[in-house]
Amino acid sequence: MIPRIVVLISGNGSNLQAIIDAISSKTLNGQIVLVVSNKQSAYGLTRATQAGIPTLIFPLKPYKDLGKTRIEYDIDLAKKIKEYNPNLIVLAGWMHILSEEFLNSFEDKNIINLHPALPNLFDGADAIGRAYEAFKKGEITKTGVMVHKVIPDVDKGEPLLIEEVPIFETDSLNDLETRIHTVEHRLIVQCIKKILDELNH
């Protein structure tokens, strides 16, 4: 049985593209059965459609407009994803914190997140920008990328893969972002491969 992957995105989807490419080149033995975005404008939805992958646009705003909670949103999102029976859920630039209620729906499943920082440094949004500022102030000399298990605490789950990324004096923020994205694309595929290999044994 080919392992089933659901990918959650909020934006450009370059990491999604790396996963799509790795599957089509047979680096990964799995199939993406659904791409979910909480933003209609996410370019990653176009990438999914071009690859023939079903998409789901699932924004939080309609829930807020009806006075519903984030937890109600998460429970409904979990139900939608469950219909696709995934073996693995990958958060690749997903900018919505998932509650315990969502995670409890998939207790026996792997849920992983890609975060452009080293463990316990620059948790949450704009991690690259904050690392760059810290470098400029002389507080750090390097940053990194990690793939970790998802728990309710943001970016605090057990790291599965970590790679350090150097920061150079001559770097613009754009240079650093490009270097980090290159590592992200490789690391997310590497981690998925590791998990799928374990599932296949």
Side-chain angles (χ1 to χ4, degrees):
M1 196 190 84
I2 298 176
R4 299 165 68 80
I5 304 166
V6 170
V7 184
L8 276 56
I9 62 164
S10 296
N12 178 36
S14 64
N15 289 302
L16 166 66
Q17 190 65 57
I19 303 166
I20 291 170
D21 293 347
I23 289 171
S24 64
S25 69
K26 303 279 192 284
T27 303
L28 290 178
N29 175 32
Q31 63 177 134
I32 302 172
V33 291
L34 179 69
V35 170
V36 181
S37 174
N38 59 346
K39 292 188 167 45
Q40 192 157 3
S41 59
Y43 182 66
L45 291 166
T46 304
R47 295 178 188 273
T49 303
Q50 285 170 347
I53 300 164
T55 59
L56 170 66
I57 301 164
F58 203 72
L60 178 63
K61 191 176 182 303
Y63 282 77
K64 284 186 164 168
D65 291 348
L66 291 168
K68 289 184 167 186
T69 64
R70 289 175 80 104
I71 287 176
E72 287 173 286
Y73 169 92
D74 277 10
I75 290 168
D76 287 351
L77 176 61
K79 280 182 193 154
K80 296 251 184 215
I81 291 172
K82 275 199 136 153
E83 289 170 17
Y84 289 83
N85 195 21
N87 304 101
L88 170 64
I89 298 171
V90 180
L91 278 49
W94 173 255
M95 304 307 281
H96 167 85
I97 298 163
L98 294 170
S99 64
E100 211 163 324
E101 283 76 5
F102 179 93
L103 300 176
N104 289 344
S105 304
F106 299 99
E107 272 181 312
D108 56 336
K109 303 285 184 241
N110 290 292
I111 306 180
I112 61 172
N113 179 48
L114 179 69
H115 185 61
L118 295 171
N120 302 318
L121 291 171
F122 311 111
D123 296 337
D126 193 29
I128 304 174
R130 287 185 291 140
Y132 184 71
E133 287 307 311
F135 172 78
K136 288 288 179 200
K137 289 179 193 158
E139 294 166 1
I140 59 169
T141 55
K142 61 181 183 289
T143 184
V145 174
M146 67 168 169
V147 184
H148 64 91
K149 287 189 172 178
V150 177
I151 61 172
D153 289 349
V154 180
D155 301 325
K156 292 290 189 201
E158 176 200 339
L160 300 170
L161 283 179
I162 302 166
E163 187 168 324
E164 290 184 352
V165 177
I167 311 176
F168 302 114
E169 288 294 339
T170 51
D171 277 351
S172 66
L173 176 57
N174 196 36
D175 293 332
L176 180 59
E177 283 175 343
T178 303
R179 190 174 308 122
I180 283 181
H181 291 325
T182 304
V183 173
E184 282 182 336
H185 299 163
R186 190 177 71 250
L187 215 62
I188 191 70
V189 169
Q190 209 178 321
C191 192
I192 292 171
K193 187 169 181 357
K194 196 173 157 189
I195 291 168
L196 296 188
D197 285 350
E198 285 164 14
L199 283 176
N200 287 326
H201 285 122

